[in-house]
Amino acid sequence: MKITGKCLCGAVRWESSEAAIVTRWCWCRECQYLGAGSGTVNAAFRTATFTVTGKTSDYISIADSGNRMHRRFCPTCATPLFSEAEVRPHLIFVRAGTFDDPNLAKPAMTIWTSSAPRWACIDADLPQVEKQPPPAA
């Protein structure tokens, strides 16, 4: 299986030879900033099967979970692309909006619901976790 994606301008492309391990809809405050007020849908891939072409910029921050995060984006069009937690270097979290086929990024759960604004649209059919769930594999 080959899954691909890119930033808005196409300067950065990514590819995985495996399906995502898990996809989650996240409502932490950092994701709300990245999602322009909404939560973000993020798919976890194994870094061993993941390649990136093109240059990315990196913004380092501390997440609500306490993890030191690298938030990567396209320096040309500013599309948020990936997040990587230093404590889990074997995983990369990809923004679903960058998938060439966004239907491949179906969320399995909603996380950080405790941070969601009252007006958030949270899918009642998905399992919900108030804060950080256990790490993906």
Side-chain angles (χ1 to χ4, degrees):
M1 167 178 264
K2 183 168 133 177
I3 300 173
T4 59
K6 65 180 178 12
C7 65
L8 179 63
C9 72
V12 179
R13 293 204 54 85
W14 61 265
E15 179 179 306
S16 177
S17 59
E18 293 180 356
I21 296 167
V22 67
T23 301
R24 299 172 175 155
W25 193 339
C26 183
W27 280 97
C28 75
R29 281 300 291 146
E30 287 83 5
C31 282
Q32 290 176 52
Y33 285 111
L34 292 168
S38 188
T40 62
V41 178
N42 307 292
F45 288 92
R46 291 184 333 109
T47 54
T49 65
F50 196 85
T51 58
V52 177
T53 55
K55 180 181 173 159
T56 62
S57 291
D58 184 16
Y59 176 74
I60 300 171
S61 65
I62 304 300
D64 286 343
S65 64
N67 291 324
R68 184 175 160 97
M69 301 295 296
H70 292 266
R71 315 246 185 221
R72 302 197 193 275
F73 58 95
C74 174
T76 303
C77 66
T79 300
L81 296 161
F82 322 113
S83 291
E84 298 169 89
E86 288 184 0
V87 297
R88 291 187 293 280
H90 62 290
L91 297 175
I92 187 166
F93 298 85
V94 180
R95 305 285 176 257
T98 68
F99 279 55
D100 287 333
D101 181 356
N103 290 308
L104 296 176
K106 184 177 182 328
M109 71 172 43
T110 304
I111 64 174
W112 285 96
T113 57
S114 62
S115 298
R118 287 186 300 276
W119 51 260
C121 296
I122 296 177
D123 188 338
D125 292 335
L126 293 178
Q128 298 175 25
V129 178
E130 287 189 11
K131 295 204 180 276
Q132 183 70 27

